[in-house]
Structure formats: C-alpha cells, structure tokens
Amino acid sequence: MTDRPAAVFRNRLATQGRSLLWLLGWMLLGLALRFACLSDKAPWTDEFSTMVFSLGNSFRTVPLDRVISLSDLMQPLVPNPNASAGDVVQTLLSESNHPPLYFALTHLWLRLFSPDGGYVSLWAVRSLSALFGTLTIPAAFGLGWLAFRNRPAAHLAALLMAVSPFGVYLAQEARHYTLPVLWVMASLACLLATVRALQTGKVPALWLCGVWILVNGLGLATHYFVAIALAAEALTLVGLALFQLRQGKFRLNAGWRRVLAVGVGTLLSGLVWLPTIQGTQESELTRWIVRRDRTGLAWLTPLGQLLSGLVSMLYLLPVQAKPPTVAYASVLALVGLALWTAAKLTAGLRLQVQKTPDSVLLLGGVVLGAIALFLLITYGFQRDLTVAFRYQFVVYPAVMVLVAGGLAALRQREQRRVILLVALLGLLGSLTVLANLGFQKTHRPDLLAQRIRENTRFPALVAIAHRTHGQTGRLMGVAWSWRSQFADGPEPRFLLAHQESPRAAIAPSLLSAVAPQPRPFDLWLLNIEIPQRPALLRELAQQNCTVLDDGTEDGYRLHHLRCEG
C-alpha cells in the first residue's frame, strides 16, 4: 500500500517528462521552419522601415530631387554606434505611424550582431521576429491547457502553431507582428482565468488584473491593431454579462468591478498613443488602405480576403506559382480543404463545448468579435484592413487554440487520422512559404533589379516618385537587391523625385535632375501616378528620351526609357 503513492507520483512524473519532450519537439520543428532560409528573400519596403528606425537612423538624410549613388541611398542602413533607444523612439514617432516598443527591442537586439558588408544584417533584423514566433509555440500549449485542461488539446495547439504557414510567414518578416501575437495570447489567458473565477463565484486576483492591464498596455505599445483583439475581448465580456443578466445571475460584485478596472486601465494605457494615432489617420502612410470606390462584386473582395487569411493559418498551397494552372488548382484545393476542415471543426467543437463550454464560447466570441470589427472598419469606415493578411495576427491565437480544441475533441477512432492530415498539410504550407510560392513579399525588388540589369545597355538611372519614406524603402529594395545579386559592373544611380501629394506635379523636379546627366543613359521611372505620365513622357521625349518598355514588376509600375544626346 505504501508503494502506491510513489508509483502514482513516478507515473505522473514520467507523463510530464514525455509531455515536455513532445513540446520540445514542436518547438524545434517550429524553430527550424522559422529560421530556415531566413535571409534568402529580398527585404521589402516595410522591412526597410524596421531596419532604419531600429538603428536610430532617419530616412530624411537621403537627399531628394537630385541624383545620388547607391551608397548614398543606403546610408541609413549603416549601423550608428552612437544611437540610443531614445533616438529610436524619437525618430520613429516623428517619421512613422507605429508605436515604438518593437523597434526599441530590435535596436537592442541588433547590438549583438556585426554589420554585414557595412550595412545592418538582414538575418539579424529578421531573427528577432523569428524568435518571438518560436515562443508562440509553448505559449499556444499553455493557452490550450488553460482553455481545455486537456494535454492532447494543448499539444495540438502547439503543433498547429509550429507548422502554421501564417505563423511562419509572420515570423520571417522583420516586422512587429509575432511579438503582439504573444501579448494577445497572454491577454487571452488572463481573460480565460478571469472568467473562470467569475463563473465559480470568486474574485479575480489583484495580481491577475494587474498583469492583464500590463500585457494589454505592452500590446498597444507594440502594434495599435492589438486594440481590435482587446475590443473583441471586451465585446465577449459584455456578451457574458448580458447572458448572466438574462438569467438573473448578474451582479456588479467585486469580481466584475475588477474587470471594469482592467478595462479602465487598458483604456488609459491606450490613450497615451491617441495623439499619434490622430496624426496619422489621413497621412500618406495610411492612405493605401482607404477604399471608397467599390462597385459590383468588389464589395465581396474583403470577405474573400478575410476568409483566405483565416484558411492560411492552417493551410497554404502554391497559389503564387508561375504556371497559372498550378495556382488555380491550389486555390480550388484550398477551398475544398477549408470546407472539409469546417465540417470536422463543427463536429469537434460540439463535443468540446460539452466539456469546456466557457472556453469554447469565450474564444469563439473573441474570434467572431474581431471579425465583426474588421468588417465594420472595412465597410463602415472605408479602411480595408483585410487587404493585408498580416493584420489578422490579432485573431490568429484564438483561432489556432479553438481549432486545436475542436480537433482534439473528435471521436478517438478518427482523431489521429484527421490530426495527422491537418498537421502534414500545415507543414506542406510552411514549406510553400519557404519555397516562396505563397506569402511572397508585397514588393519584389529582386525581380525588378534583375529586369533592370538585363535590359540596360548604358549607365542606369532609377527614379521614383517620392512622397513618404515608403517610396524611399522601395528604392532601397532595388539598391539592396542590386548589391546582393550583382557584384560586378557599374552600379545604377538613383533619384527620389519628391511630390507633396499624388496630384502635385512631378515633372519639374525630375526633369531638372535628368537634364544635366551625361548621355546616353537608361532611365527607369517607377510608380509615376497615371495622371502624371502623359505630360512627363512628352517632356522627356523633348529631351531625346524614348520609351522602350512599360509595365509592372511585383509592386512596381515602371517605364524604361533610353535618353540619348
């Protein structure tokens, strides 16, 4: 009899040991996927923002309206040993529209790495996001355990997070998305723990409420869109209060008063950023998400984009492969997979809601609340948040844990086959991301640099219409790719022709910079607004500049001209 407690303890210890080994395996798998080929893809505009601001440098040091060299254009990418985290915050808040926490952390992180050829290391700047992305795997395990009190569900949440194509995509961006995912997961954990206390008649601990406020504040200091996740949590709590009120069980007791205190504390932590947010509502940096001209079927586009983003959290196939037949077949296959998975999840969640109703309803409420807010902002305020899949990071943790709970609850006979298939398809999706056949960078300066190289006979001048540091980043992408791909031969020169607005005339500044250049040379015009093109091309024709090509190249509108004497 005396050996039985010891045997139980040994069995429990062995079970926990195996569980930790499995979790370590999921983490290693996720780590490998997130760090594989990390610096292979050329950086795009937003990543240059991260690099420049995290170094404590400014885009405003790049000269405008005059021809400059490649090294002049890339000067803000040179590490500044005298820059401090304070410089990062000050420069970011004066030139951009993002909160500073992630950039300050990246600044400290980059101190651990040496420059690459005199410039900031792309691998280093992306590795912090990849590291945070890896940490979402054990966080998913913890959130899954807290939600369902079930080890298989927790492990499944970790496994799905490890192989998630969407997760790998976010982790390989040198941007502030994986860190706020962690903050959202921590906030969801506080939500679950608080509601569990309320449902059992207990008062949420003061330390829990304090941690909740802190986590929410840190989330808002990392990315403003965390507010959508927090608003979805608030809507879910309002729904719970209304449900209790309808049953006659709601009392504004000490527990609910502490929940209100958390809401007030979170609101105060967000008000700090209100002046910054107000200053960017109609700025050039946010104008690209404004959609006021939808007609016909275009009204359905946001719904398709939203559903596509949700599906990509689990699955992805080569939807950006060059043969169109492969891309179309991949889309059709994803539609079929989504419908099959929805059916399985519906069955699983019906079972899971019988075991842990509060967790299923809370996570489901957060998911539905966030989706409703996305659609409200997109259709009601004409700010299309669905146009960029990455913004769905706010709902990503709740979706993954809810999916894990649903799949884990399936009947034992079919559970393993379904889970194995979902995990393998998720792994295939992650490999699709690594192969650059899905979630390609929004802009492909590497392809443009190659096109310029192959079609230029004389010295090249690459000019872009400039309004914000976004256009500087686009041009930096060309310079970075040129430096990375073509070590031999002359480097192109560059020109940032400034416009105060899309309608402002660009011809005078561009023509005055082009006129004195030695002939012959090849002129590449990038992203000239449609109304500006005819007059500008006529003026250039008077300077003996002939159009040889026009078109697009993955995020760039271009005109190739040859200017001769």
Side-chain angles (χ1 to χ4, degrees):
M1 295 292 292
T2 56
D3 291 338
R4 187 170 181 179
V8 171
F9 176 76
R10 285 195 299 270
N11 289 337
R12 183 178 300 172
L13 194 62
T15 301
Q16 291 176 348
R18 287 193 297 270
S19 183
L20 286 174
L21 286 176
W22 278 111
L23 179 57
L24 180 61
W26 310 141
M27 290 181 63
L28 291 175
L29 174 60
L31 180 76
L33 290 172
R34 283 154 179 77
F35 279 85
C37 312
L38 187 59
S39 59
D40 286 1
K41 301 171 187 176
W44 69 292
T45 306
D46 285 11
E47 291 184 295
F48 282 107
S49 296
T50 300
M51 288 189 269
V52 171
F53 292 132
S54 296
L55 290 172
N57 294 335
S58 169
F59 281 95
R60 293 173 180 168
T61 59
V62 179
L64 304 178
D65 295 330
R66 67 182 178 88
V67 176
I68 58 176
S69 66
L70 184 147
S71 59
D72 290 334
L73 177 59
M74 295 183 64
Q75 185 60 35
L77 301 173
V78 177
N80 179 6
N82 298 319
S84 66
D87 295 324
V88 173
V89 174
Q90 182 178 359
T91 305
L92 180 73
L93 294 181
S94 64
E95 296 187 26
S96 187
N97 58 347
H98 294 296
L101 180 58
Y102 179 80
F103 298 86
L105 292 175
T106 304
H107 173 78
L108 299 175
W109 177 256
L110 290 176
R111 289 183 177 179
L112 303 176
F113 301 90
S114 300
D116 180 8
Y119 298 103
V120 62
S121 165
L122 179 60
W123 189 95
V125 77
R126 283 179 176 167
S127 63
L128 183 60
S129 179
L131 179 61
F132 287 137
T134 303
L135 292 178
T136 62
I137 298 168
F141 178 89
L143 189 58
W145 171 258
L146 182 63
F148 305 114
R149 298 295 182 181
N150 180 281
R151 189 173 281 111
H155 276 292
L156 185 53
L159 172 59
L160 293 179
M161 188 69 78
V163 300
S164 168
F166 185 78
V168 172
Y169 154 64
L170 289 185
Q172 293 203 324
E173 289 270 298
R175 296 296 285 164
H176 50 328
Y177 298 115
T178 51
L179 178 57
V181 167
L182 287 171
W183 298 134
V184 171
M185 295 177 87
S187 185
L188 288 173
C190 293
L191 172 68
L192 290 169
T194 298
V195 171
R196 187 161 290 154
L198 293 174
Q199 295 289 68
T200 55
K202 298 178 182 177
V203 179
L206 276 174
W207 68 264
L208 176 61
C209 297
V211 168
W212 201 356
I213 294 172
L214 176 63
V215 164
N216 293 346
L218 291 172
L220 294 171
T222 307
H223 201 294
Y224 295 136
F225 286 179
V226 169
I228 296 176
L230 302 183
E233 290 181 10
L235 290 174
T236 304
L237 287 169
V238 169
L240 175 62
L242 291 175
F243 178 76
Q244 289 185 351
L245 185 64
R246 186 175 180 180
Q247 290 189 323
K249 297 180 179 179
F250 179 79
R251 298 289 185 275
L252 190 58
N253 53 25
W256 277 106
R257 286 197 294 270
R258 287 191 178 179
V259 170
L260 288 175
V262 169
V264 172
T266 299
L267 184 61
L268 292 175
S269 70
L271 289 176
V272 174
W273 309 109
L274 188 58
T276 306
I277 296 172
Q278 288 178 328
T280 61
Q281 287 301 298
E282 294 296 334
S283 73
E284 286 290 338
L285 294 171
T286 58
R287 198 180 299 276
W288 66 277
I289 64 172
V290 176
R291 297 288 188 275
R292 295 193 176 103
D293 54 354
R294 288 194 184 92
T295 57
L297 293 178
W299 284 95
L300 299 178
T301 300
L303 293 175
Q305 292 171 161
L306 187 60
L307 291 174
S308 298
L310 293 172
V311 171
S312 71
M313 295 176 189
L314 286 178
Y315 309 122
L316 186 64
L317 294 173
V319 293
Q320 291 179 296
K322 284 299 181 182
T325 53
V326 175
Y328 296 149
S330 298
V331 171
L332 291 175
L334 286 172
V335 171
L337 282 172
L339 294 174
W340 173 79
T341 306
K344 294 296 181 183
L345 280 178
T346 301
L349 289 173
R350 284 175 179 170
L351 296 172
Q352 188 62 255
V353 78
Q354 298 173 14
K355 304 173 185 178
T356 55
D358 290 343
S359 296
V360 173
L361 294 175
L362 282 173
L363 292 173
V366 169
V367 171
L368 294 177
I371 290 174
L373 289 169
F374 263 82
L375 296 178
L376 174 63
I377 294 169
T378 297
Y379 288 111
F381 295 91
Q382 299 179 331
R383 303 295 189 272
D384 192 354
L385 301 188
T386 70
V387 72
F389 286 164
R390 58 188 180 272
Y391 292 157
Q392 294 187 39
F393 77 86
V394 299
V395 74
Y396 174 52
V399 168
M400 298 303 287
V401 175
L402 197 61
V403 168
L407 293 180
L410 291 175
R411 290 177 176 83
Q412 192 68 32
R413 188 174 62 180
E414 66 169 341
Q415 179 185 30
R416 292 184 179 180
R417 293 199 304 270
V418 172
I419 290 174
L420 180 61
L421 181 58
V422 171
L424 288 177
L425 288 171
L427 179 60
L428 177 61
S430 292
L431 296 177
T432 300
V433 176
L434 296 181
N436 209 21
L437 298 175
F439 279 130
Q440 292 180 358
K441 302 299 183 186
T442 304
H443 309 118
R444 293 291 304 277
D446 54 327
L447 297 181
L448 178 58
Q450 184 176 353
R451 184 167 176 172
I452 293 173
R453 168 82 172 204
E454 292 174 351
N455 293 278
T456 297
R457 285 181 53 194
F458 302 107
L461 173 59
V462 186
I464 194 169
H466 173 274
R467 290 191 300 277
T468 71
H469 63 73
Q471 288 77 43
T472 309
R474 281 175 173 78
L475 209 56
M476 281 180 171
V478 179
W480 183 286
S481 297
W482 191 284
R483 171 181 167 272
S484 302
Q485 298 178 53
F486 313 121
D488 59 324
E491 297 175 346
R493 295 163 297 162
F494 299 91
L495 169 65
L496 291 154
H498 186 63
Q499 289 178 280
E500 289 298 329
S501 70
R503 297 181 179 181
I506 190 176
S509 60
L510 194 147
L511 292 171
S512 62
V514 166
Q517 299 306 308
R519 310 296 178 102
F521 68 94
D522 282 87
L523 175 63
W524 292 82
L525 299 178
L526 305 180
N527 295 356
I528 306 299
E529 294 289 338
I530 293 176
Q532 304 275 344
R533 294 175 197 172
L536 178 60
L537 294 178
R538 284 196 301 269
E539 294 277 0
L540 287 169
Q542 294 176 8
Q543 293 193 18
N544 293 326
C545 295
T546 306
V547 176
L548 303 181
D549 184 23
D550 61 66
T552 61
E553 191 68 72
D554 282 274
Y556 295 88
R557 299 184 304 275
L558 62 89
H559 290 80
H560 175 205
L561 300 89
R562 183 156 293 150
C563 300
E564 300 178 291

